């Protein structure tokens, strides 16, 4: 149990927040949830987010009655609500952050009832395409019969974000006051003034591809599965496993402790079966998928692929070379979800004239050059500094030191492998559950908007910043010289 580093990614220093978290016990006041689908979605998503906040949340106390009927990342079918969220937390974290009954010791009380009673520190509500968070009660009459998950899931992300900011201490930005958001028109303001979107339950979604089944990809699949669409077929492509240290688990929403070391696409396949979402998985690279045999592929996709056509691709990868590979297929529409510290964003590429493609600005770094630079820096250090820098990061410290000390190191010299692997490693970046889920929500909402026939896109890019709770829309122009946009690598002229 001690060899895992489950909270590693969100324990990394981040601008605007304190360094150390003061751990909190949170109480979720939910009331009776039987038949109240939006509240069930809020509860399931918030439990799944907070149960992964290792080193930040100590325990999750829940005051809830009745049954849950919505699909959960680890199960489906009606279940007693308390039992359902207890199982979810244990599955996600192996008992490290437990769901417990209320005992009066909570540091922060969150109200999810929408009934406007006082006594809580935070209040939230999500229904349809809208989400709200505040520090004063607000009574919600409208929207509570909506079945969509996107609004409730965003409300859950808003709460998890506030808990994280409170535990870490906020140095730049602000806490929630009375903040509502509409995923339909991308606006922020007061709940009553915001427009809701159309009904999604039972709606049709044409078949699509998801490239990347990590944090954002799994969140995206979770949303599709919980949206009760009439028919959908998702081809999910990812070659990666959940890492053996468990650092992916703080934001891989469809994976539990037992999935450590297993393929990310396995978690997707299991949840698809639970939720009835159609699709297939390819446990390999996108290049491998294109070259391989696609058994069980949706006939519409098979026909398009035969003509070398890709209609709709979701990019949930976090490496620029993978983004280049996706753009290289020249899909008609690409929707990309990504995160950068406490910022979530989604971009729709290919619909607005003159704006960037996925390949424009996501140009890969020259890893060979930067690795050579790091090796030169190591060689310039004093022996003591060099030893300190490498200690704990290489298998054979003495061999690595000897390799760096030799004036003309020979290729294949002992210690070389240690040093090359050290300098070639990319420092892992900060990432946290609620930001990844928000990127998935923004991406799914963008997709639902496009397929609902809402072709009048406002701006292709939506950015949510948790530090100051802003949701903004922007557009980025094309990059001069982008090979995809200039048509050099675009045989069909799209
Ligand atoms: Zn471009």
């Amino acid at each position: 149990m001690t060899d895992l580093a489950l909270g590693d990614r969100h324990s990394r220093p981040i601008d605007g927040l304190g360094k150390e978290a003061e751990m909190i016990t949170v109480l979720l006041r939910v009331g009776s949830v039987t038949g109240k689908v939006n509240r069930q979605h809020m509860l399931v998503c918030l439990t799944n987010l907070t149960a992964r906040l290792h080193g930040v949340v100590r325990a999750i106390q829940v005051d809830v009655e009745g049954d849950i009927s919505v699909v959960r990342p680890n199960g489906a079918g009606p279940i007693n609500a308390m039992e359902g969220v207890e199982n979810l937390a244990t599955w996600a974290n192996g008992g490290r952050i437990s769901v417990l009954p209320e005992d009066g010791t909570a540091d922060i009380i969150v109200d999810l009832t929408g009934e406007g009673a006082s006594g809580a520190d935070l209040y939230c509500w999500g229904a349809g395409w809208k989400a709200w968070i505040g520090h004063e009660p607000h009574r919600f009459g409208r929207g509570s019969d909506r079945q969509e998950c996107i609004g409730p899931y965003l409300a859950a992300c808003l709460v998890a974000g506030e808990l994280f900011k409170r535990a870490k201490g906020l140095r730049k930005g602000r806490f929630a006051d009375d903040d509502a958001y509409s995923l339909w028109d991308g606006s922020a303001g007061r709940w009553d003034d915001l427009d809701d979107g159309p009904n999604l339950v039972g709606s049709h979604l044409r078949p699509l591809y998801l490239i990347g089944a990590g944090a954002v990809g799994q969140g995206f699949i979770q949303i599709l599965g919980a949206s009760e669409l009439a028919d959908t077929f998702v081809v999910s492509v990812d070659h990666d496993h959940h890492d053996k240290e468990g650092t992916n688990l703080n934001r891989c929403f469809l994976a539990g402790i037992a999935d450590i070391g297993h393929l990310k696409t396995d978690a997707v396949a299991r949840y698809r079966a639970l939720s009835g979402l159609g699709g297939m998985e390819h446990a390999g690279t996108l290049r491998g998928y294109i070259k391989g045999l696609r058994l069980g592929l949706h006939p519409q996709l098979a026909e398009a692929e035969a003509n070398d056509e890709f209609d709709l691709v979701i990019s949930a990868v976090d490496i620029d070379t993978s983004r280049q590979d996706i753009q290289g297929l020249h899909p008609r529409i690409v929707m990309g979800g990504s995160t950068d510290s406490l910022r979530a964003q989604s971009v729709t590429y290919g619909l607005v004239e003159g704006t960037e493609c996925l390949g424009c600005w996501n140009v890969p770094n020259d890893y060979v050059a930067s690795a050579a630079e790091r090796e030169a820096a190591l060689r310039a250090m004093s022996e003591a500094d060099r030893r300190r820098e490498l200690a704990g990061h290489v298998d054979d410290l003495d061999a690595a030191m000897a390799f760096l000390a030799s004036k003309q190191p020979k290729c294949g010299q002992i210690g070389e492998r240690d040093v090359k692997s050290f300098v070639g490693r990319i420092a892992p970046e900060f990432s946290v559950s609620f930001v990844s889920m928000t990127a998935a929500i923004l991406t799914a909402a963008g997709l639902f908007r496009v397929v609902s026939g809402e072709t009048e896109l406002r701006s292709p890019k939506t950015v949510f910043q948790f530090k100051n709770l802003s949701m903004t829309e922007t557009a980025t122009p094309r990059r001069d010289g982008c090979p995809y946009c200039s048509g050099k690598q675009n045989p069909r002229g799209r």
Side-chain angles (χ1 to χ4, degrees):
M1 205 154 147
T2 47
D3 53 345
L4 296 177
L6 295 164
D8 177 80
R9 291 298 184 267
H10 58 244
S11 308
R12 288 169 186 274
I14 179 167
D15 184 44
L17 298 190
K19 280 205 177 76
E20 300 293 327
E22 202 160 300
M23 286 184 59
I24 51 175
T25 293
V26 57
L27 167 63
L28 310 181
R29 213 169 257 167
V30 198
S32 172
V33 294
T34 306
K36 291 162 184 159
V37 171
N38 73 313
R39 264 199 242 183
Q40 296 177 20
H41 282 313
M42 277 193 280
L43 176 61
V44 166
C45 187
L46 186 52
T47 304
N48 198 27
L49 296 173
T50 48
R52 296 171 190 272
L53 287 178
H54 301 273
V56 175
V57 171
R58 188 184 299 113
I60 308 158
Q61 298 183 358
V62 181
D63 176 14
V64 65
E65 282 166 33
D67 296 330
I68 292 178
S69 57
V70 298
V71 65
R72 309 176 304 283
N74 66 325
I79 189 170
N80 170 272
M82 192 65 184
E83 195 185 327
V85 289
E86 278 168 0
N87 292 348
L88 173 57
T90 308
W91 166 80
N93 62 35
R96 290 162 177 86
I97 304 170
S98 296
V99 164
L100 305 165
E102 177 175 10
D103 72 358
T105 61
D107 303 301
I108 294 181
I109 301 174
V110 185
D111 184 291
L112 286 73
T113 65
E115 281 164 10
S118 58
D121 302 289
L122 278 172
Y123 298 82
C124 77
W125 192 247
W129 295 61
K130 290 161 69 176
W132 172 82
I133 187 163
H135 71 259
E136 297 282 352
H138 185 109
R139 181 170 282 273
F140 288 90
R142 287 192 289 147
S144 51
D145 54 346
R146 296 290 299 254
Q147 314 275 305
E148 287 79 9
C149 71
I150 47 173
Y153 278 18
L154 182 59
C157 292
L158 296 171
V159 172
E162 290 303 293
L163 297 178
F164 192 77
K165 281 151 65 178
R166 285 177 186 226
K168 293 277 248 185
L170 186 63
R171 293 182 181 160
K172 251 185 249 169
R174 68 173 178 92
F175 290 111
D177 175 23
D178 174 10
D179 298 283
Y181 306 89
S182 165
L183 291 162
W184 173 243
D185 63 9
S187 58
R190 294 180 61 90
W191 176 278
D192 296 321
D193 303 333
L194 300 182
D195 284 338
D196 208 342
N199 177 40
L200 287 173
V201 175
S203 62
H204 297 266
L205 194 57
R206 58 181 184 260
L208 61 132
Y209 299 87
L210 167 69
I211 315 302
V216 177
Q218 290 187 20
F220 177 79
I221 291 288
Q222 186 184 339
I223 293 162
L224 253 48
S227 292
E228 297 185 51
L229 305 165
D231 53 10
T232 307
F233 190 96
V234 188
V235 178
S236 300
V237 178
D238 198 314
H239 71 282
D240 211 2
H241 297 73
H242 297 105
D243 69 322
K244 65 181 195 301
E245 293 82 16
T247 66
N248 297 152
L249 262 278
N250 77 329
R251 61 196 190 285
C252 279
F253 306 104
L254 302 178
I257 286 289
D259 293 307
I260 289 177
H262 294 275
L263 284 166
K264 291 178 177 173
T265 47
D266 285 354
V268 171
R270 182 181 57 216
Y271 177 78
R272 277 203 311 98
L274 287 173
S275 63
L277 186 67
M280 61 175 278
E281 285 72 33
H282 173 75
T285 61
L286 179 56
R287 288 174 196 204
Y289 171 79
I290 298 300
K291 282 189 209 140
L293 270 177
R294 281 86 85 182
L295 296 173
L297 185 62
H298 191 285
Q300 205 176 318
L301 295 180
E303 199 186 319
E305 285 185 17
N307 296 319
D308 200 17
E309 284 175 5
F310 295 84
D311 178 51
L312 184 52
V313 179
I314 308 299
S315 162
V317 296
D318 55 3
I319 299 172
D320 285 335
T321 48
S322 307
R323 295 187 174 109
Q324 297 289 327
D325 287 346
I326 294 171
Q327 191 58 48
L329 297 176
H330 304 288
R332 194 174 69 84
I333 302 173
V334 181
M335 309 190 89
S338 61
T339 67
D340 180 7
S341 63
L342 288 176
R343 204 175 75 129
Q345 77 168 32
S346 141
V347 189
T348 303
Y349 303 95
L351 286 182
V352 179
E353 199 58 41
T355 57
E356 62 180 330
C357 79
L358 182 65
C360 271
W361 301 102
N362 295 309
V363 180
N365 283 328
D366 188 341
Y367 290 116
V368 178
S370 59
E373 240 168 66
R374 286 188 78 190
E375 184 174 331
L378 278 174
R379 288 181 182 278
M381 283 178 190
S382 73
E383 203 182 314
D385 284 349
R386 197 183 294 156
R387 187 172 280 279
R388 208 171 302 127
E389 187 77 8
L390 293 172
H393 299 291
V394 292
D395 290 337
D396 188 340
L397 181 57
D398 290 334
M401 290 294 291
F403 176 77
L404 288 168
S406 46
K407 286 255 162 2
Q408 285 178 315
K410 289 189 285 292
C411 194
Q413 183 179 332
I414 193 160
E416 180 184 11
R417 194 178 53 83
D418 278 308
V419 172
K420 297 296 179 203
S421 132
F422 177 80
V423 295
R425 213 173 291 154
I426 310 153
E429 288 176 355
F430 173 93
S431 48
V432 67
S433 62
F434 54 89
V435 181
S436 298
M437 180 54 87
T438 301
I441 294 166
L442 296 177
T443 306
L447 172 68
F448 294 148
R449 220 160 43 209
V450 167
V451 298
S452 74
E454 180 69 14
T455 45
E456 203 174 301
L457 243 141
R458 309 168 306 269
S459 283
K461 185 182 287 187
T462 309
V463 178
F464 195 99
Q465 173 56 265
F466 277 88
K467 264 183 245 175
N468 59 11
L469 291 143
S470 66
M471 185 160 83
T472 46
E473 307 244 308
T474 61
T476 306
R478 285 179 171 179
R479 176 173 63 86
D480 283 344
C482 168
Y484 306 108
C485 290
S486 64
K488 274 183 205 150
Q489 290 189 25
N490 195 348
R492 289 184 297 277
R494 284 205 296 267

